[in-house]
């Protein structure tokens, strides 16, 4: 299996621009997680999908962030408009099953976002 | 509030040394304790522990959980420069959420 695939790997954009991050989970996995990682705050869960349905988006920082999962093999995280404080590494992870904490989460390579 | 605390925050040792990384947790309805290794990319899964006192082992790495004292340790014996990484610990409770520690940055000097 190719593992979790994310694109782009690096994104540099200017403040105010729209940014779209993409994720393809491991085939057969039912749960998908978007995380953000910064030096200051570590790993933070942004949103969790199960069977393509958003279950918990309480970690989404504000209305500028949105996420979709139109099918089992694709998800997007969009930031519009982007701000410098959004600069971070964004990880997508997937797990088999219903996403309980005993399901191992497998991480993608991440997208390093820099907003100038 | 649920929390996971790792110690030390950073550690520098020489190749061949043995290291012990610590993770203490307070997680509501605790079910699992996970260890991940993060080099300059994605966290990669090492171990999941759900039962006290049962050691999990993979090569030179091993880990054990103490559910009474609410902590776990990760041991690495005969360290190599390739073990240099940030080691993350996460606690899982009754739902899907993992509570992540800040990580221990391990540097192995040749």
């Amino acid at each position: 299996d190719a593992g979790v695939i994310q694109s782009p790997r690096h994104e540099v954009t200017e403040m105010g621009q729209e940014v779209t991050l993409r994720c393809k989970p491991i085939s057969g996995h039912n749960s998908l997680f978007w995380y953000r990682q910064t030096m200051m705050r570590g790993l933070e869960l942004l949103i969790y999908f199960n069977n393509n349905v958003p279950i918990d988006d309480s970690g989404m920082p504000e209305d500028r962030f949105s996420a979709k999962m139109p099918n089992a093999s694709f998800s997007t995280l969009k930031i519009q408009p982007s701000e410098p404080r959004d600069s971070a590494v964004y990880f997508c992870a997937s797990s088999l099953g219903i996403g309980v904490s005993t399901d191992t989460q497998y991480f993608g390579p991440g997208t390093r976002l820099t907003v100038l | 509030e649920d929390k996971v605390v790792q110690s030390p925050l950073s550690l520098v040792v020489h190749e061949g040394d043995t290291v012990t990384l610590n993770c203490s947790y307070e997680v509501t309805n605790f079910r699992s304790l996970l260890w991940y290794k993060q080099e300059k990319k994605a966290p990669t899964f090492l171990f999941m522990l759900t039962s006290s006192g049962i050691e999990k082992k993979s090569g030179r790495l091993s880990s054990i959980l103490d559910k009474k004292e609410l902590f776990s340790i990760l041991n690495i014996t005969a360290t190599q420069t390739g073990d240099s990484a940030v080691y993350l610990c996460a606690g899982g409770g009754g739902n899907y959420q993992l509570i992540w520690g800040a990580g221990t940055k391990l540097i192995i000097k040749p």
Side-chain angles (χ1 to χ4, degrees):
Chain A
D1 200 317
V4 177
I5 299 172
Q6 290 187 248
S7 65
R9 297 292 301 275
H10 301 273
E11 177 80 34
V12 179
T13 190
E14 293 192 347
M15 184 173 65
Q17 296 298 306
E18 177 179 298
V19 174
T20 299
L21 312 181
R22 296 172 178 79
C23 174
K24 177 178 168 54
I26 293 171
S27 177
H29 281 195
N30 298 318
S31 294
L32 184 139
F33 306 81
W34 280 101
Y35 287 93
R36 177 171 68 177
Q37 187 177 41
T38 61
M39 288 292 291
M40 290 296 294
R41 300 172 69 92
L43 266 171
E44 303 173 278
L45 178 65
L46 300 177
I47 187 167
Y48 157 58
F49 290 88
N50 182 252
N51 289 324
N52 315 336
V53 176
I55 304 300
D56 182 359
D57 65 354
S58 60
M60 297 285 260
E62 45 200 276
D63 292 345
R64 297 183 298 106
F65 285 69
S66 63
K68 293 182 179 179
M69 192 165 184
N71 57 61
S73 59
F74 184 65
S75 177
T76 59
L77 178 68
K78 187 176 292 187
I79 309 173
Q80 165 63 19
S82 58
E83 296 183 4
R85 59 191 167 125
D86 302 330
S87 297
V89 180
Y90 290 80
F91 288 107
C92 175
S94 70
S95 69
L96 190 63
I98 61 173
V100 295
S101 64
T102 47
D103 290 338
T104 302
Q105 293 182 24
Y106 296 92
F107 283 75
T111 295
R112 181 173 295 276
L113 173 66
T114 303
V115 183
L116 302 174
Chain B
E1 184 181 340
D2 291 350
K3 63 180 178 181
V4 170
V5 178
Q6 294 186 244
S7 64
L9 290 181
S10 65
L11 186 57
V12 181
V13 300
H14 286 98
E15 209 168 16
D17 288 351
T18 293
V19 297
T20 298
L21 310 184
N22 303 294
C23 175
S24 65
Y25 64 89
E26 294 177 27
V27 175
T28 306
N29 297 322
F30 174 81
R31 287 192 181 180
S32 60
L33 192 291
L34 294 91
W35 285 97
Y36 284 80
K37 177 183 181 182
Q38 186 175 25
E39 297 169 269
K40 293 189 178 183
K41 45 188 179 181
T44 53
F45 174 74
L46 294 175
F47 299 112
M48 179 187 290
L49 302 143
T50 57
S51 301
S52 251
I54 299 174
E55 184 182 57
K56 292 220 172 176
K57 200 170 170 68
S58 176
R60 296 176 293 103
L61 278 67
S62 64
S63 183
I64 199 161
L65 176 68
D66 185 328
K67 290 169 79 172
K68 184 179 176 185
E69 300 297 332
L70 307 183
F71 77 90
S72 175
I73 60 172
L74 175 68
N75 278 323
I76 309 174
T77 59
T79 52
Q80 302 171 357
T81 54
D83 296 326
S84 295
V86 174
Y87 290 84
L88 295 166
C89 168
N95 60 15
Y96 52 87
Q97 281 254 21
L98 294 177
I99 310 301
W100 293 88
T104 293
K105 183 174 183 178
L106 177 62
I107 297 172
I108 311 296
K109 288 189 171 181

